[in-house]
Amino acid sequence: MKIPVLRQAWIGVCMFIAVAGYAQQFTNDRIYKSYLKIQEATTDGKFAEALEGINKLADYKTVPIETAAIQRARGFILLNLDREPEAAEAFKIALAQGELNNFMTQEMKYIIANLHAGESQWEEAFNVYKEWLDNALAYQAQYEQTQNEDYNVTQPDSDSYRLGAAIAASVNNFPYAIARTEDAIKVIPQPEKELYALLVALHYQSKDLKSAVASIQRGLSIFPDHQEFWKNLSSLYQLIKEDPSALAALVIAYEEGMLQSEEEYLLLGRYFIYRGVPFDGARVISRGLNEKVVEPTFVNLELLSQAWFAAREFDESLEILKLIVSQYGDIEACLRACQILLEDEEYDKVLSLLTKAEPGNRPADQGMYFKLKGYAEYGKGDYTYALESFRLAGKSDPELAESSQSWCEYIEDEFIK
């Protein structure tokens, strides 16, 4: 696993911080002026020139605080020249001086951990990362208690927790990797499929298959249409067939009327649908709705209508579609319902339903809206209205122009003299 290392985006900020922190502490004015010129070359992207200058400064006899500033700057320059191992060594020398403040010390440790990971030096990366994280959390606790800015260091975010998970997994410390992945899930602004997939993989690698199943179920509760989760769930159930599976437990709970949450009803219903048993899936979701455990949201009703339709229970699907139209005015649900009604020659019901949904702005929806309206009016013998509807269908959607024109010509020739 190749971990991307930190590069140019850090350079300008970190060099300015270095100068601000050390400007008054260079004891040799000539060294300080040279340092400023090196900083200017670095920010201008002249890294080879900057490295030549910083190497000369590194050869001078300097006090620890100057050595820390020089080696820190040297590390960032080396990073920009893709010389990561040398950069890591420069940062270590800077740290060893014991002169960096808490913010800079944490910054150096995080970059060093990243660099070791980039070179697949996993043990070294893990030791430095763990120290970095422990310090970050401890400093944050002290800052919250004292409001002392010395402890106001950068706190872990989702990316840093992912880095820790990757490093820990590479040294087979799966409990630590799982804990960091859970941390990433907690702090991420919006849920991400990749984090739940990582959690599943880590539980699987640690041979905790039941926890892997539970992690997939968590992921499916947020990303119910993610095909890989369903495939992996099916495979894991087969692997743990010697034990009562989570799905079997859900089925038993359903049959005994013991399901208690919307998540459980939808998980079981979707699983049946995914496994090609849409009738059972529709029954589960319907029961959840009837028992007022599953909310009649647009998404849930849409899922139920599709399940009934896939099970070829068209009357059931139609009733749900009509409910969607009455509650949400959804044009697509309306059009699907009208197509079912037309099969049964329920022309009045088609026209009534069409009045409950606006055709919207999409040409395809508008064209189909007027086309279905024309079919219903033609079926009722209202040929003048049907003629106008077919004209509007062709005008709304160019793809329907030819067929609509044929209908118009037919109605004019046969029924309108």
Side-chain angles (χ1 to χ4, degrees):
M1 182 186 299
K2 186 72 171 177
I3 306 296
V5 297
L6 307 172
R7 297 188 186 279
Q8 283 95 330
W10 288 68
I11 299 306
V13 173
C14 293
M15 286 295 289
F16 279 117
I17 291 174
V19 172
Y22 292 109
Q24 303 304 318
Q25 303 190 53
F26 276 80
T27 58
N28 187 311
D29 188 59
R30 185 164 61 89
I31 291 178
Y32 177 57
K33 289 180 179 178
S34 297
Y35 183 88
L36 291 179
K37 290 182 180 179
I38 293 165
Q39 183 208 23
E40 184 178 347
T42 302
T43 55
D44 288 342
K46 300 175 182 178
F47 302 119
E49 177 185 326
L51 181 62
E52 182 180 354
I54 205 73
N55 283 341
K56 289 180 181 178
L57 287 187
D59 288 336
Y60 292 156
K61 185 176 181 180
T62 53
V63 297
I65 198 165
E66 293 173 338
T67 302
I70 290 168
Q71 291 296 336
R72 184 169 178 272
R74 183 169 177 269
F76 284 115
I77 294 168
L78 288 165
L79 267 187
N80 282 274
L81 293 170
D82 296 329
R83 293 163 64 171
E84 286 88 355
E86 294 173 82
E89 290 305 313
F91 291 140
K92 289 178 183 179
I93 294 172
L95 275 177
Q97 305 309 305
E99 297 288 347
L100 298 175
N101 62 28
N102 290 337
F103 179 88
M104 293 180 183
T105 296
Q106 286 295 94
E107 171 196 67
M108 291 292 93
K109 288 179 179 178
Y110 185 74
I111 297 174
I112 291 169
N114 205 312
L115 291 173
H116 280 315
E119 297 299 317
S120 298
Q121 297 168 343
W122 301 114
E123 289 290 348
E124 295 91 336
F126 180 72
N127 291 334
V128 178
Y129 176 87
K130 190 173 184 304
E131 184 178 358
W132 170 82
L133 181 59
D134 290 344
N135 287 344
L137 298 178
Y139 287 151
Q140 180 63 15
Q142 292 184 58
Y143 176 70
E144 290 175 357
Q145 182 177 0
T146 66
Q147 294 299 301
N148 186 335
E149 287 297 324
D150 290 343
Y151 300 117
N152 190 17
V153 301
T154 301
Q155 286 302 295
D157 59 8
S158 176
D159 288 338
S160 60
Y161 281 131
R162 290 177 215 240
L163 174 64
I167 293 172
S170 297
V171 296
N172 296 322
N173 191 332
F174 295 111
Y176 192 89
I178 289 167
R180 300 294 75 78
T181 306
E182 292 284 11
D183 287 335
I185 290 172
K186 289 178 184 176
V187 302
I188 197 74
Q190 296 293 331
E192 291 185 10
K193 291 189 289 288
E194 292 75 13
L195 283 175
Y196 287 94
L198 174 60
L199 194 60
V200 172
L202 291 170
H203 281 301
Y204 180 83
Q205 287 180 282
S206 66
K207 304 187 186 307
D208 186 353
L209 300 185
K210 289 185 178 180
S211 293
V213 167
S215 297
I216 291 180
Q217 290 177 335
R218 285 172 61 189
L220 283 170
S221 70
I222 303 172
F223 306 103
D225 297 322
H226 190 50
Q227 293 293 314
E228 285 304 312
F229 283 167
W230 285 113
K231 292 177 183 178
N232 292 335
L233 182 61
S234 179
S235 299
L236 284 170
Y237 282 149
Q238 293 177 19
L239 289 174
I240 62 173
K241 60 186 177 182
E242 67 275 15
D243 298 320
S245 71
L247 177 63
L250 279 178
V251 172
I252 294 171
Y254 167 74
E255 291 175 346
E256 297 295 326
M258 297 172 58
L259 292 188
Q260 297 180 347
S261 71
E262 181 179 63
E263 179 181 320
E264 290 173 329
Y265 274 101
L266 293 177
L267 178 65
L268 184 58
R270 287 181 182 276
Y271 187 79
F272 279 133
I273 295 168
Y274 176 77
R275 297 292 294 175
V277 195
F279 181 82
D280 288 341
R283 284 202 311 161
V284 169
I285 298 169
S286 290
R287 182 169 172 178
L289 285 165
N290 292 336
E291 294 183 1
K292 301 188 184 307
V293 178
V294 175
E295 293 293 325
T297 64
F298 174 82
V299 172
N300 291 342
L301 292 174
E302 177 75 4
L303 174 65
L304 180 56
S305 74
Q306 292 175 354
W308 282 129
F309 192 88
R312 304 189 67 79
E313 296 288 337
F314 301 123
D315 289 342
E316 298 285 356
S317 180
L318 176 61
E319 290 306 309
I320 300 301
L321 288 170
K322 288 161 66 176
L323 181 60
I324 293 174
V325 176
S326 66
Q327 291 189 5
Y328 300 100
D330 182 67
I331 183 61
E332 293 185 12
C334 177
L335 298 180
R336 291 203 306 274
C338 289
Q339 288 172 329
I340 296 174
L341 288 169
L342 283 172
E343 290 290 329
D344 294 334
E345 299 183 356
E346 298 281 1
Y347 304 124
D348 286 324
K349 291 181 179 179
V350 170
L351 294 173
S352 175
L353 196 60
L354 285 172
T355 63
K356 298 178 181 179
E358 294 294 330
N361 297 320
R362 293 178 56 203
D365 289 341
Q366 291 178 340
M368 185 58 67
Y369 176 93
F370 289 115
K371 181 179 179 180
L372 295 176
K373 187 170 182 286
Y375 284 151
E377 289 163 340
Y378 173 80
K380 287 188 64 180
D382 296 333
Y383 303 119
T384 301
Y385 291 119
L387 180 63
E388 179 61 20
S389 292
F390 283 121
R391 284 174 178 168
L392 289 172
K395 184 178 180 181
S396 300
D397 184 0
E399 292 188 7
L400 297 179
E402 185 174 347
S403 62
S404 296
Q405 180 62 29
S406 296
W407 268 100
C408 289
E409 292 174 357
Y410 170 72
I411 292 172
E412 287 176 328
D413 289 344
E414 295 294 329
F415 303 104
I416 298 177
K417 304 300 183 181

